Amino acid sequence: MTGLKETRHQSLSEFFTILQHVFAQLVQAVERINSSPHSKHQVENRVVEAGRLKKTGKESISYLTKRPQLLVQDDKLGFIPMNGQRYYPSHAIETKRHVDYDTNENRFIRWVLLRIASKLKDLKTRLTEKGRLKDPLLARKLNDMQSQLQRLLKLDFLNVKEMRQLSVSLVLQMAPGYREVYRNYLMLMKGLSIQSDLFRLSMKDLAQLYEYWCFLKIHDLLSRKYELLKQDIIKVNRTGVFVTLDKSQKARMVYRNPRNGEIFTLYYNTLPSGEQTPTISQRPDNVLTLKKNDSDAEYKYIFDAKYRLNPAYEGTPYRRDYKLPGPEESDINTMHRYRDAIVYAEGSGKELERSMFGAYVLFPYHNEEQYQEHKFYKSIELINVGALPFLPGSTKLMEAFLDEIIMDSPEKAYERSARPRGTKNYYENKLIGKNVLVGSLREVQQLDDALQLKFYHVPLENISDHKLLTQLEYVALYQSIKKFEPRGETGIHWYGKIVDWKVIRRKEITERPARPGTEEKLYVKFTVSEWVKRDKPIIPGGRGIYTLLYTSKYVFDRALEIAELKLETEEDLRAWREQRRLGPVTVELDHEQVDLASRVLGVGRLSST
């Protein structure tokens, strides 16, 4: 059902399809050339002794005329008379003629076979990498072709030099065998076109075609960098190939990020599973769902195609408000509606949550550089609602934005979306992350060195979860009762903001001498900008810290005893905050060492006694 067509970008599938059709003819043509290859006669002249000379010619006369020293006088054996004497040459030119197959035409034949062998090798490698070389018939066919090519390349007439340029001679055009190879070569350079009614195209509305194109182009941009795992756009049955992309159908493309293994899905004309609209049904054109590592939430973004452009003519309200051409205001309002109306519930009876993190209009506009000054482009960064120009020649902004949201961390993805007023203060009053490390000190001198040199070090083995290193922002120093009570300073007095940290061996920390046997152990060295002394120290309260513990800056700033730094659950935090409003609080733990305690036994007010 296909025919040949001119193409600049031939795929390996097209090449292999054409090669299967012409390979037998190609092999037969090369074998026919082998029976009578094109050649040229080469004349070789060399200087030999006269006694070994078999055949000579005029070349010897010219050679001896310029070299009289090669003539030997001998009146008996000489046969060249000169000045009454006879001479014979000691050396002369011997002429040999032989057949040479190193012609441009034979070089071309060898180049064609090598090029085919290289493409077959590339095809085999690509299929193996994708795990698709499981068809025994296909594998056998590729191996047979490669064996045939290697056999042909060993023919004597193909023992020639590399082809430097292609000149189409009469031999390539008319000589038996050569003309067949040349014709097959021209066919192998072409692509394939559908020549039957395999695809039946009907008239489509231009806006609907733009909607189709937006989905397919988003897929194209994603498939260039990410691995396609699953698709249901193109379906195959016994009657042929069918494209199911239309307004009444749903499509889904599943990809995998090769860098980190994250899975994300592009939906067309449907909402992801679990999404609902309690009021009016919403159906955006394209929804991109991202599932990020280390996060249970899914981050969903709407890309809605709108084939409408406001040209912002002089004197119009749009020109006055936005200065530049862009999407219609009503389309931006639709994005606000999509983002707010589509919600998600994890199960029956669960609280509904807004699930769309961003919504964007895709509209036909070509000048991407100019559009970056538009209000609806800048609004994407502010509230994650806006518009992006999208045309066949204008896809850079869209491609960059897709890469950005795919590579976002879960925290950054969450921060992109606009939140209700008061959210920041609300979450500041929650235990949202442990960004403070509280470490113990082995001796008094370690405190003096740390304060003077602005650093703190701790064995890497004491940090159970290395991921915590990336979220730490502060380090605090705990001064135990046993070592620091004589100085009158116990508890936590000093803390500093971390400006750098690195994992190194103990012997590389030269600020303090290493204990014997620890030189090769891995340590984490924290560098702080400056040490800050608390107005009120966090007192031990009868407890201590054995190695180190983690807490949040919110709890650290408000704690009065080190046991309060162990608060980890939302319930304990809420109880602690409520009790603190009424007076001093006691936190009961299941171990005297706060960092070794496994749970909080209770939170209550201190008695008046």
Side-chain angles (χ1 to χ4, degrees):
M1 299 183 189
T2 62
L4 297 177
K5 69 173 183 179
E6 298 294 334
T7 182
R8 294 184 180 180
H9 306 286
Q10 183 196 50
S11 66
L12 285 174
S13 298
E14 291 175 309
F15 174 82
F16 186 64
T17 301
I18 300 173
L19 180 62
Q20 291 183 88
H21 180 70
V22 303
F23 190 76
Q25 303 174 26
L26 184 67
V27 173
Q28 186 178 2
V30 176
E31 291 176 340
R32 183 174 183 180
I33 294 174
N34 186 45
S35 62
S36 181
H38 178 258
S39 63
K40 58 183 178 181
H41 290 282
Q42 291 284 80
V43 178
E44 180 183 354
N45 295 325
R46 62 174 182 167
V47 179
V48 298
E49 295 180 358
R52 300 174 57 189
L53 189 66
K54 294 181 180 179
K55 186 177 181 180
T56 187
K58 297 180 181 180
E59 294 84 1
S60 292
I61 298 175
S62 175
Y63 178 76
L64 293 173
T65 300
K66 298 177 181 178
R67 297 168 179 81
Q69 70 274 12
L70 296 178
L71 296 176
V72 180
Q73 181 183 354
D74 192 328
D75 294 335
K76 184 178 180 180
L77 298 177
F79 57 87
I80 302 176
M82 187 169 53
N83 297 328
Q85 297 178 344
R86 302 179 70 83
Y87 297 83
Y88 71 88
S90 62
H91 293 78
I93 297 293
E94 183 180 55
T95 303
K96 282 190 174 183
R97 290 177 173 81
H98 62 87
V99 177
D100 188 5
Y101 295 115
D102 192 6
T103 64
N104 288 332
E105 291 78 11
N106 291 337
R107 291 180 182 181
F108 171 75
I109 301 299
R110 180 177 177 82
W111 177 80
V112 170
L113 296 179
L114 287 174
R115 187 169 181 267
I116 295 173
S118 176
K119 284 213 168 188
L120 286 179
K121 183 180 178 181
D122 188 18
L123 175 62
K124 195 172 182 179
T125 302
R126 297 273 289 276
L127 291 174
T128 303
E129 290 175 353
K130 299 289 186 180
R132 298 175 181 173
L133 198 61
K134 299 179 181 179
D135 184 354
L137 181 61
L138 175 60
R140 186 167 63 251
K141 186 178 294 185
L142 286 172
N143 292 332
D144 290 345
M145 285 184 174
Q146 290 179 319
S147 300
Q148 286 273 52
L149 291 173
Q150 294 302 319
R151 178 182 65 83
L152 294 177
L153 286 169
K154 293 179 181 178
L155 296 177
D156 292 339
F157 82 97
L158 291 179
N159 185 18
V160 295
K161 300 177 182 177
E162 293 184 1
M163 186 182 71
R164 298 190 179 276
Q165 63 180 15
L166 173 61
S167 58
V168 183
S169 63
L170 288 176
V171 174
L172 284 180
Q173 297 182 50
M174 302 184 66
Y178 288 93
R179 63 190 177 195
E180 285 79 10
V181 174
Y182 181 60
R183 184 176 66 247
N184 292 334
Y185 159 73
L186 294 178
M187 294 176 64
L188 286 170
M189 292 176 61
K190 297 182 181 295
L192 296 175
S193 62
I194 305 298
Q195 290 188 333
S196 71
D197 59 351
L198 184 62
F199 292 110
R200 295 193 179 104
L201 300 180
S202 59
M203 295 297 294
K204 301 290 184 183
D205 177 69
L206 192 57
Q208 187 175 349
L209 288 176
Y210 180 69
E211 178 184 315
Y212 292 169
W213 177 85
C214 286
F215 174 77
L216 295 174
K217 188 59 181 179
I218 295 174
H219 161 64
D220 176 58
L221 295 176
L222 294 174
S223 61
R224 293 178 188 178
K225 302 178 182 179
Y226 309 103
E227 180 185 354
L228 178 64
L229 299 181
K230 187 189 301 181
Q231 63 87 21
D232 57 4
I233 294 179
I234 299 178
K235 299 180 179 179
V236 182
N237 60 21
R238 293 184 178 180
T239 59
V241 180
F242 289 89
V243 179
T244 61
L245 186 63
D246 62 63
K247 201 64 180 177
S248 62
Q249 298 289 334
K250 302 174 182 178
R252 184 180 63 165
M253 314 289 282
V254 183
Y255 309 86
R256 185 181 71 87
N257 189 340
R259 296 183 182 180
N260 50 29
E262 291 178 348
I263 304 297
F264 52 96
T265 307
L266 177 65
Y267 294 89
Y268 170 75
N269 198 36
T270 185
L271 290 174
S273 176
E275 312 299 318
Q276 54 182 290
T277 51
T279 54
I280 301 174
S281 176
Q282 309 290 335
R283 182 175 285 187
D285 296 333
N286 309 292
V287 177
L288 181 63
T289 300
L290 307 177
K291 183 67 176 72
K292 298 182 179 292
N293 295 334
D294 304 323
S295 176
D296 295 331
E298 288 187 337
Y299 302 87
K300 304 179 179 70
Y301 304 88
I302 293 173
F303 297 92
D304 205 57
K306 300 293 184 184
Y307 195 71
R308 296 198 297 173
L309 172 68
N310 193 309
Y313 291 132
E314 291 289 346
T316 61
Y318 196 94
R319 178 76 174 191
R320 180 194 65 221
D321 296 338
Y322 305 110
K323 309 296 188 297
L324 299 170
E328 294 288 354
E329 291 179 336
S330 59
D331 294 334
I332 298 296
N333 287 331
T334 301
M335 297 305 103
H336 283 283
R337 186 189 75 209
Y338 279 156
R339 193 186 63 173
D340 296 337
I342 301 173
V343 295
Y344 173 79
E346 189 173 350
S348 60
K350 297 288 184 177
E351 180 183 357
L352 293 175
E353 299 177 342
R354 194 172 67 187
S355 59
M356 296 298 159
F357 282 73
Y360 323 96
V361 174
L362 301 180
F363 70 102
Y365 188 56
H366 67 284
N367 195 333
E368 294 182 281
E369 184 176 353
Q370 181 191 61
Y371 179 73
Q372 294 183 55
E373 301 299 322
H374 201 286
K375 180 178 180 179
F376 291 149
Y377 179 75
K378 296 178 179 180
S379 66
I380 294 177
E381 184 176 356
L382 297 174
I383 60 173
N384 228 13
V385 172
L388 292 163
F390 207 41
L391 280 175
S394 305
T395 60
K396 292 182 180 179
L397 290 181
M398 179 64 175
E399 183 176 4
F401 185 69
L402 288 173
D403 291 340
E404 189 177 344
I405 61 176
I406 289 173
M407 296 308 298
D408 272 351
S409 64
E411 293 77 16
K412 187 174 180 181
Y414 179 80
E415 291 170 358
R416 281 181 177 274
S417 60
R419 289 164 287 177
R421 184 177 180 182
T423 301
K424 182 177 180 180
N425 293 333
Y426 176 75
Y427 280 98
E428 283 180 351
N429 295 335
K430 283 180 172 286
L431 189 62
I432 59 175
K434 298 181 178 181
N435 59 348
V436 180
L437 180 145
V438 182
S440 60
L441 300 170
R442 296 186 58 84
E443 56 190 29
V444 175
Q445 185 60 39
Q446 185 180 358
L447 173 65
D448 298 334
D449 293 340
L451 295 178
Q452 180 181 357
L453 301 175
K454 299 181 179 180
F455 85 104
Y456 177 73
H457 65 289
V458 61
L460 179 63
E461 62 186 15
N462 290 350
I463 301 177
S464 57
D465 188 358
H466 296 167
K467 294 179 182 178
L468 291 173
L469 288 171
T470 61
Q471 67 185 48
L472 290 176
E473 297 180 35
Y474 299 88
V475 61
L477 305 177
Y478 170 69
Q479 301 166 225
S480 64
I481 299 175
K482 182 178 180 180
K483 295 184 176 63
F484 290 88
E485 191 171 26
R487 292 181 53 166
E489 291 183 358
T490 59
I492 301 173
H493 293 257
W494 299 93
Y495 72 96
K497 186 172 181 60
I498 299 172
V499 294
D500 186 28
W501 64 270
K502 53 186 175 181
V503 178
I504 56 178
R505 300 197 181 276
R506 178 62 181 87
K507 64 182 180 181
E508 298 177 45
I509 304 176
T510 58
E511 290 85 351
R512 284 183 54 78
R515 289 183 292 111
T518 64
E519 292 86 356
E520 297 298 326
K521 289 182 65 176
L522 291 176
Y523 272 66
V524 183
K525 180 182 178 182
F526 298 96
T527 304
V528 300
S529 56
E530 62 176 339
W531 291 106
V532 180
K533 192 168 187 179
R534 288 176 55 99
D535 295 333
K536 294 182 179 180
I538 302 177
I539 62 176
R543 302 184 183 275
I545 297 176
Y546 184 69
T547 55
L548 54 86
L549 63 83
Y550 310 96
T551 186
S552 70
K553 189 64 165 57
Y554 175 80
V555 176
F556 179 83
D557 289 341
R558 292 160 177 78
L560 299 178
E561 294 185 5
I562 60 172
E564 298 174 15
L565 301 178
K566 192 62 177 178
L567 295 171
E568 295 181 344
T569 66
E570 186 174 339
E571 291 77 11
D572 291 339
L573 179 63
R574 183 168 55 248
W576 174 66
R577 289 186 60 206
E578 292 173 353
Q579 296 295 334
R580 280 287 298 269
R581 287 174 62 86
L582 303 175
V585 176
T586 178
V587 177
E588 295 295 331
L589 305 176
D590 60 353
H591 200 285
E592 290 184 358
Q593 302 293 336
V594 179
D595 53 329
L596 299 181
S598 59
R599 60 193 181 94
V600 177
L601 299 178
V603 178
R605 294 182 59 193
L606 286 173
S607 62
S608 58
T609 58

